[in-house]
Each structure stands twice: as C-alpha cells, then as structure tokens.
Amino acid sequence: MAKQPTAFPQPLSFPPSHFAKLAPRSYLHAHLSSPNGRRPSGRLPHESRKPQINTGSLTHCHGSAVVRAGDTAVVCGIKAEILNASDVVDCKPSTKVEELEQRYGNGVSRLSAVSDGRRRSQARIEDAEEMAQLNLLVPNVELSTGCSPFYLPGSAPSTEAQSLSHRVLTLLHTSRLLAMDDLRIWYQPPSTKPTKPTEPPSDAPTSEPTSMSLDVPNEPLSSKEDADAQQPEIKAFYTLHIALLVLSLSGPPFSTLWTALLAALRNTRLPKAWWDADRQSVIASPLLSDSRPLSLNGLPIATSFGVFNSEKDGAELVSQVAEGKGKRTWILCDLDGFEESCCEEEVTVIVRQSEEAQRMEIVKIEKCGGGVVGRKEMREVVALAEERWRECRDVIEDSG
C-alpha cells in the first residue's frame, strides 16, 4: 500500500478587521509606516472626509440641514421664537436709537451701515455680548440612540452631549457669527406733529406694519417730546433654538456638528415681524416672500486633528522607531472612530476668511491631551485647516 503524504495544518489567517480589534495601535502603526503611508480608511494623513450637505429638509423649521461626513451624520434644525423686550428681567437691552448710535457711530443705528472696519469689529463684539446676556441663541446637541454602541436607549443625556452643546454656544459667541440687527423687531410710533390734511408729509407713517428691517429716520425734530414719539423702538427679539441630532457617530463629532449648523444658518429665513400697537403683541407674516436671510460674519470652518504617538506601542515598535526604521508621530486630519480610539491628543482649529483684509484668520484653537503638538506642528495644523476651509466652503455654497 502506498504511503499517504503527510498533511500539514493550514496556516491560520484572520481578516484585517480582527487584527484591528486585537491590536488597534499596532494595526494603525503598520498602515501609517507602510510605503504608501495611508490610513486604514485609505486616506492620507492630511486628507479629510468630504461632507455631503442637503439643506431645507425639515419643512417645519425656519432653517435646516443634513450633513454626512464618512460614517458621521448630523441633522440640524433652527426654529425662531419671539422674546418680548418687556419680558427681559436680568438685563436691560438697547431699545432706543440713541443707545445704538453710541455703539455704532453718530447717526447710525444699524451694524450694516457701519463702514469703519475697526468700529464695525467693536460693534460686533458688543452685539455678541448683548446676544449672550439675552440668551438669544439656544443650541442643544443630542446623541441619538443607535448612533454608537456606547449610547444605549433610555439613558439620560450624556456628559459628551452637554459638553458639545456648550462648545457650540461658546463658538457662536466667540466667532461673532450673527448680528443683532437680524434679531431685533422694531416699532415706529406714530408722529404727534400736526399735519395739514391737504399736504401730508412724505415721512408720515402708513397703515402698513413696520418690519424688523426698519430704517431709522435722520430728520431733525423740533422738541424732545416729539423726538421720543417719532424714534423707533425695539419691542422684541428673535430667539434661535438650534437642535443638533447626531444620527451616526464615527470620530469626533464637533466639526460635523458645526458644518451642519453653518449650512442650517445659511438656509434660515426669519419671518417679517412687527409690533401691533392695538393688540400689544408681535405679529409675524406667514408669507415666505416677506422673510429675510441671516447675515453671517464670514464662514468659520472647524477641523479636528488627532496625534498618533508610536511611543505608546509595544517594545518592538519602540525599538524600530529608535533604530530609525519608523516614524515617531503622525498628525491625522478628520479622525474616524477607529483612529480616535488610538489617539490621545486632539486639536480643533476654526479658521475663516476676513471680510476686510480678505485673508485667513484663526477664530479659535482647542487642544485636549498630550504634548506632542508644538509651534512647528501647530503651524502645520493651521495650514491643513486652511486647505479644508476652501473645500468645505465650496461644498456649503453649492448646497445653497
């Protein structure tokens, strides 16, 4: 009988996903130190995920947007509500034309009419302070059930969701993105000056209601009583309730949240509103043709980065780095969920293009953990953030 050949055991092999779960840092290090230097997702370290934006999806909101970047998806809806100036208790808002003229300049009561760049910047700072005192911006971030395995149904709002809401609110005020002009609702009192019935003056109030974009009269007045009667007053404000719902989460969500907020603000149209003296209340027009968009202060874009440090790996990889066979650290742009678990240092950079000088400016930098990123690395991070700003600007503008 012929002798049967000896059967050798087949080598045991695992798919790449198994290695990523068993040794995530070694798995990421092997990809980054390969000749092509690509991440497990196929992107280069400086490449980001291009967002996909759809605006106006929610019909019951004044503005909405749906943004998807990789496996992260966010829905943003903005609803405007009216806050009467008489209901403000904690602070006294500027409701007289004289107070606004002191802020914006002599003879000017609206930020849009300010031409001096330095005065305009100072006026935006004061507008942001008043907006924060009146709490006219109310963002709320919710990490929905099923967006990630870490968020189970029936749980209380997580600490991360509350932290993200605070970061969004802080950046709204820090960037001075919105102007108080868009949130004020004016009222023009009727004139008390006697007029001839045969020759009515050209500036006499009509029966039509005065919109919130009222132009302040600059004509001289004869007496102080008549001036107080004729000058417009601010009777109410618009409060913007911003709801941000994370449908799917993979990586740091702040940059995607902020992109969804920017797209929703560009899509927002506030109704025409006026003060009805007979009803002593504010009335809003239901016609879409009477609404007006918001005037945003530039387009600040947030970009997140993570630092992968190979010194945290096993002794074998550390020895390879010491011998010059591998790189020590990598700065990764726009982390996904797997890369976030391997990075202990994160940096978020918000940049925009200045309207006056037409150059890039840094709005804010946030850094968490680690000590690898120094001055040299920070310059590299800011340069990458400026490149991503141009990419996101084109996508947001094309979305409408």
Side-chain angles (χ1 to χ4, degrees):
M1 179 180 291
K3 188 177 179 180
Q4 297 292 334
T6 303
F8 293 97
Q10 296 293 329
L12 185 62
S13 61
F14 297 97
S17 59
H18 286 44
F19 285 103
K21 294 179 180 180
L22 293 174
R25 296 184 61 85
S26 300
Y27 181 76
L28 179 59
H29 184 274
H31 278 78
L32 295 176
S33 59
S34 62
N36 57 15
R38 293 187 177 272
R39 297 141 77 172
S41 60
R43 294 181 290 149
L44 292 173
H46 64 274
E47 289 184 4
S48 61
R49 299 169 294 183
K50 186 176 181 179
Q52 301 175 0
I53 303 176
N54 184 21
T55 58
S57 302
L58 306 179
T59 57
H60 60 279
C61 296
H62 294 106
S64 62
V66 180
V67 176
R68 183 181 183 90
D71 292 333
T72 301
V74 177
V75 179
C76 178
I78 299 178
K79 187 73 174 179
E81 295 185 359
I82 294 175
L83 170 66
N84 292 327
S86 58
D87 296 336
V88 179
V89 179
D90 296 337
C91 60
K92 182 179 180 300
S94 301
T95 58
K96 294 292 185 180
V97 175
E98 296 92 337
E99 300 175 5
L100 298 179
E101 288 181 347
Q102 293 177 1
R103 173 185 302 180
Y104 300 142
N106 296 330
V108 177
S109 62
R110 297 177 61 194
L111 180 61
S112 57
V114 180
S115 57
D116 186 9
R118 182 176 299 179
R119 182 182 291 275
R120 186 183 184 87
S121 177
Q122 181 62 28
R124 280 196 177 274
I125 295 176
E126 296 181 3
D127 275 4
E129 294 176 355
E130 182 178 358
M131 205 176 299
Q133 292 176 355
L134 297 175
N135 294 322
L136 299 182
L137 304 178
V138 187
N140 180 49
V141 177
E142 181 180 354
L143 300 171
S144 63
T145 301
C147 69
S148 173
F150 300 102
Y151 299 100
L152 303 177
S155 302
S158 63
T159 305
E160 183 178 2
Q162 300 179 33
S163 175
L164 289 171
S165 301
H166 179 72
R167 290 177 64 186
V168 170
L169 178 61
T170 303
L171 185 54
L172 281 171
H173 294 318
T174 303
S175 63
R176 304 185 290 276
L177 185 60
L178 299 172
M180 282 295 298
D181 289 344
D182 297 331
L183 305 181
R184 296 188 180 107
I185 300 177
W186 293 85
Y187 167 65
Q188 173 67 68
S191 176
T192 57
K193 293 179 63 176
T195 58
K196 298 180 181 180
T198 56
E199 297 181 359
S202 59
D203 60 343
T206 61
S207 59
E208 296 181 359
T210 302
S211 68
M212 64 180 184
S213 60
L214 175 67
D215 292 330
V216 179
N218 294 323
E219 296 183 2
L221 300 172
S222 57
S223 62
K224 184 178 183 302
E225 292 79 6
D226 199 40
D228 294 337
Q230 286 190 0
Q231 287 188 350
E233 299 178 4
I234 300 175
K235 288 294 186 178
F237 304 90
Y238 271 119
T239 302
L240 300 183
H241 293 266
I242 305 169
L244 293 158
L245 177 63
V246 180
L247 300 178
S248 178
L249 180 61
S250 177
F254 183 76
S255 58
T256 308
L257 285 169
W258 185 254
T259 303
L261 173 58
L262 287 178
L265 287 174
R266 286 174 56 90
N267 181 251
T268 299
R269 298 188 66 89
L270 296 181
K272 177 182 178 180
W274 62 91
W275 175 263
D276 192 303
D278 297 331
R279 300 181 182 180
Q280 290 295 302
S281 62
V282 177
I283 300 177
S285 172
L287 300 178
L288 183 61
S289 58
D290 293 339
S291 61
R292 57 176 295 182
L294 297 173
S295 56
L296 303 182
N297 181 21
L299 196 66
I301 301 294
T303 306
S304 60
F305 300 88
V307 179
F308 175 69
N309 189 359
S310 59
E311 292 182 349
K312 301 293 182 180
D313 294 312
E316 181 180 356
L317 294 179
V318 174
S319 62
Q320 293 179 3
V321 173
E323 295 174 2
K325 298 180 180 179
K327 189 177 178 180
R328 184 180 299 271
T329 58
W330 287 265
I331 297 179
L332 308 179
C333 178
D334 192 14
L335 303 176
D336 56 23
F338 171 73
E339 296 166 348
E340 183 185 14
S341 63
C342 300
C343 297
E344 298 181 355
E345 183 175 358
E346 295 183 7
V347 180
T348 303
V349 180
I350 300 95
V351 297
R352 70 177 165 198
Q353 189 176 38
S354 174
E355 296 181 354
E356 291 80 8
Q358 293 296 318
R359 59 180 178 83
M360 300 300 297
E361 63 179 8
I362 299 175
V363 178
K364 190 176 183 180
I365 295 179
E366 299 177 353
K367 186 176 179 297
C368 177
V372 175
V373 177
R375 293 185 177 180
K376 178 181 178 181
E377 291 78 10
M378 189 61 69
R379 293 190 184 96
E380 178 183 352
V381 165
V382 172
L384 293 175
E386 293 178 357
E387 293 181 4
R388 188 173 183 271
W389 179 87
R390 297 179 179 90
E391 298 176 359
C392 292
R393 176 199 58 182
D394 297 338
V395 176
I396 293 176
E397 292 179 352
D398 293 342
S399 66

